[in-house]
Amino acid sequence: VVVAGKDAHQNELLVKRYMRSQDVYVHADVHGAATVIIRNDAGGAVPPRTIEEAASFAVCRSKAWKAKLAGGTQAWWVHPSQVSKTPQAGEYLTTGSFVIRGKKNFVP
């Protein structure tokens, strides 16, 4: 199952309440894009095709899609342990924004 937020509040809710350690977090490489979560009930490796389709979904739900600029927009995925609501010292995160720690895995 793949789920996505429609706005900042839903993105916040998905990450804080519903994302689990075996899931995959997917995001378009554009500010303000929807949070997309691949629910991984089996707990094993998520098939590459599922990640590719979720990445396409993330781009389609982004501002780049609405502005007809999605052709060059990439998406990436990370493990839930890399997603944090704790900003660096002196920074502030708005509702629905998250810090990604570590390597982003870009989807071709």
Side-chain angles (χ1 to χ4, degrees), residues 17-87:
R17 190 175 297 172
Y18 296 107
M19 188 167 66
R20 301 165 304 181
S21 62
Q22 70 268 24
D23 295 342
V24 175
Y25 179 92
V26 183
H27 199 274
D29 199 29
V30 131
H31 178 74
T35 288
V36 176
I37 296 174
I38 301 171
R39 298 289 297 215
N40 185 12
D41 293 330
V46 176
R49 179 162 172 124
T50 301
I51 293 173
E52 290 169 9
E53 289 177 358
S56 294
F57 183 45
V59 171
C60 290
R61 300 277 304 140
S62 73
K63 294 177 182 178
W65 182 267
K66 294 174 185 92
K68 300 186 188 315
L69 300 172
T73 304
Q74 286 188 298
W76 44 265
W77 65 272
V78 295
H79 298 285
S81 61
Q82 294 177 257
V83 181
S84 174
K85 193 65 182 168
T86 307

